[in-house]
Amino acid sequence: YINRRFFFDVHPPLAKMLIAASGGLAGYDGSFESKQPGVSYVDNLNGTAGPPYVAMRFLPATMGAASVPLTFLIVAELGFGDGAGSLAAALMLCDVGFLTLTRFILLDSYLLFFILCSVYCLARFRSVRRRGRVLAGRKVAAATAAAAHRQQQQQQQPQQQQQKQQQKHKRQQ
């Protein structure tokens, strides 16, 4: 993506575009071609400056770091409390596999972050919808009470008018 060449890949392009953007911001021009996984940058440079892989690791590491508080927010939004949220965030923070994935320029940290974002949105929607139902229930109750009060007034109004007419008729006699 950084060389602006189309190629077909089985993975969705967003994470690769983000990697290319971070490489572009770090000054990488896309000149290093990795023929196979695990090839050393230093052994294949031929005296030239290699890709700024340390700077390119910043975005995956940032997404990994943002995943920890996002885990806390998900658990808290699901209603399990701050203790459970802290425990979930601590487990995420201490997971060696998670730490390893977010250290390198891999698609996995992007995938995990966006999955956590979508789970948070679903949990948030669930809780807002529940609060929305409570508010809707209160509004229905208020509307029902207002309608019942109005109906009661309308029923009393003809009786009051009859009484007023009878009093007026008595005065005239």
Side-chain angles (χ1 to χ4, degrees):
Y1 288 101
I2 201 164
N3 290 329
R4 293 180 172 80
R5 280 185 294 167
F6 176 78
F7 64 95
F8 179 75
D9 191 16
V10 295
H11 300 101
L14 177 62
K16 291 186 178 191
M17 288 180 181
L18 290 172
I19 291 170
S22 68
L25 290 173
Y28 178 53
D29 60 357
S31 61
F32 180 81
E33 298 231 3
S34 177
K35 302 291 183 197
Q36 61 186 16
V39 173
S40 172
Y41 292 128
V42 180
D43 293 342
N44 293 311
L45 293 179
N46 299 328
T48 61
Y53 61 90
V54 175
M56 290 174 65
R57 286 181 177 176
F58 179 75
L59 189 58
T62 303
M63 289 195 160
S67 296
V68 175
L70 195 56
T71 302
F72 173 83
L73 290 174
I74 289 169
V75 173
E77 195 66 43
L78 290 174
F80 291 109
D82 291 345
S86 298
L87 178 64
L91 289 172
M92 184 80 142
L93 184 62
C94 296
D95 182 19
V96 177
F98 175 73
L99 292 174
T100 302
L101 287 175
T102 57
R103 276 185 65 202
F104 299 111
I105 309 167
L106 300 172
L107 302 177
D108 300 55
S109 58
Y110 299 95
L111 176 70
L112 285 170
F113 177 75
F114 289 125
I115 286 173
L116 287 173
C117 285
S118 62
V119 170
Y120 176 72
C121 289
L122 287 171
R124 183 86 175 133
F125 177 74
R126 179 178 165 257
S127 67
V128 168
R129 193 172 63 177
R130 183 181 312 139
R131 281 184 242 146
R133 283 187 292 212
V134 169
L135 289 176
R138 288 179 183 170
K139 289 177 183 178
V140 167
T144 304
H149 181 69
R150 181 175 169 96
Q151 185 178 13
Q152 185 180 17
Q153 283 181 338
Q154 287 175 349
Q155 288 175 353
Q156 290 176 354
Q157 196 173 23
Q159 292 172 356
Q160 290 173 353
Q161 287 177 353
Q162 261 184 349
Q163 289 173 356
K164 285 181 184 180
Q165 285 178 357
Q166 287 174 355
Q167 289 174 358
K168 188 177 179 183
H169 188 62
K170 285 181 185 180
R171 284 186 208 156
Q172 289 176 355
Q173 291 179 350

